[in-house]
Amino acid sequence: MAEPYCTDCKRQTEVVMDHASGDTVCLECGLVLEAHTIDEKSEWRTFADDSGDHDPNRVGARTNPLLADAPLTTSISRRPGKGGKGGDDGDLVSSALGRWRNGHDPNRNLVAAFGSIADMAERLGLVGTIKDRACEIFKRVEDRKSSKGKNQTAVFAACLYIACRQEDRPCTFKEICSVAHGVTMKEFGQAKNFIEKQLKIEMGKSLEMGAIHAGDFLRRFCSHLGMNNKEVKAAQEAVQKSEELDIRYKVFGVGETKECLRRCKEHQVQRIPVSVAAAIIYMITQLSDDKKLLRDISLATGVAEGTIRNAYKDLYPHAAKLIPTSYAKEEDLRNLCRL
């Protein structure tokens, strides 16, 4: 950076900044070259107390419209007494204020719940819109005061599952339960049904959730297995073909529940979307040089090996219609294993 020009010295000179007054002063003649300068750099002075917190931020978190009086609340930190006259009294007053604030904070439970939901969403790699939708769903349930006595972790997980469905990014039950520590599939299913019932009462109609398709899981599963772009593209085309031809399964707006299986049997439908996705992935990998074991696909998709095997047997007679000709030749399809 070039040195400033001093009009008295008639040349460029060294200057010094007086931070107290904001003046830029020439070191040689003392002329004030610039007055009341505004420093636009970040301020790293800490405004915290003596508790060891050195956060330089002057403001709190962004406004959350789901919290009561969110833009108007003020948090007063507890500042320990420093000894001397009045030190103990200040410490006592601050402690009493902290106890009063914790007992009267209407957002305390919501903030904790939103934090748990955000933690689950982060571990699943979900985008912010899904996390915000899940928080909104929980707030609506919480406002009805109907979730008391329920397993709160299961309720958080169910809110996240419903949010994923509404944002067209469905997750399987096992994926959600993997980040909801201590929650069983049964507890999760009960929480999900409970929330759907509460929202139905609130809205006066059934909760709208997008239908689940095998293609919704495909790219995620392929990524877990380390499949290349050619294999992923072939699997996507095969899934799309299976839906167009309506081969051996039907798409319902329900998850992997007993109700889904019951409806499948009534309609003579044998496979749900996630098992079809797993079976097609297995079929594609058997036609590639990098063959995947059934056990590896089961671990990546969360579908039991037996379920994948049965779905594969259902799809095998239609392999010539499903597999793109650009990926496998007719001779390769004839050599495809039958399981």
Side-chain angles (χ1 to χ4, degrees), residues 235-307:
Q236 289 176 325
E237 292 183 22
V239 165
Q240 185 177 357
K241 276 287 186 181
S242 69
E243 294 183 355
E244 292 175 357
L245 299 173
D246 197 21
I247 297 175
R248 305 300 287 173
Y249 83 101
K250 191 177 182 67
V251 175
F252 288 113
V254 293
E256 304 94 315
T257 61
K258 292 181 179 179
E259 176 67 13
C260 176
L261 297 177
R262 182 185 65 79
R263 294 176 64 182
C264 284
K265 291 178 180 178
E266 288 179 358
H267 293 78
Q268 296 182 347
V269 175
Q270 297 187 8
R271 303 295 158 222
I272 54 179
V274 66
S275 63
V276 172
I280 286 179
I281 288 175
Y282 181 73
M283 184 179 293
I284 292 295
T285 58
Q286 296 312 298
L287 293 169
S288 70
D289 296 332
D290 184 19
K291 293 179 171 56
K292 305 292 184 184
L293 297 176
L294 194 61
R295 180 180 65 255
D296 295 336
I297 294 178
S298 176
L299 290 174
T301 61
V303 182
E305 292 183 33
T307 303

Side-chain angles (χ1 to χ4, degrees), residues 135-168:
C135 292
E136 178 187 347
I137 293 172
F138 178 80
K139 177 66 163 56
R140 290 164 61 185
V141 174
E142 183 69 12
D143 287 345
R144 297 184 59 84
K145 306 295 182 184
S146 56
S147 63
K148 290 184 178 180
K150 303 289 183 182
N151 185 330
Q152 290 299 297
T153 305
V155 173
F156 302 155
C159 291
L160 199 58
Y161 175 83
I162 294 173
C164 287
R165 290 282 302 276
Q166 292 184 335
E167 294 293 328
D168 294 326

Side-chain angles (χ1 to χ4, degrees), residues 90-137:
D91 190 26
L92 181 62
V93 171
S94 296
S95 299
L97 179 61
R99 289 194 299 270
W100 178 87
R101 183 187 63 195
N102 290 336
H104 292 76
D105 185 2
N107 297 323
R108 183 178 56 176
N109 293 335
L110 280 178
V111 169
F114 293 166
S116 298
I117 292 174
D119 182 57
M120 291 182 184
E122 182 178 359
R123 281 183 281 165
L124 286 171
L126 302 176
V127 296
T129 53
I130 295 178
K131 180 203 70 174
D132 294 341
R133 176 64 66 91
C135 292
E136 178 187 347
I137 293 172

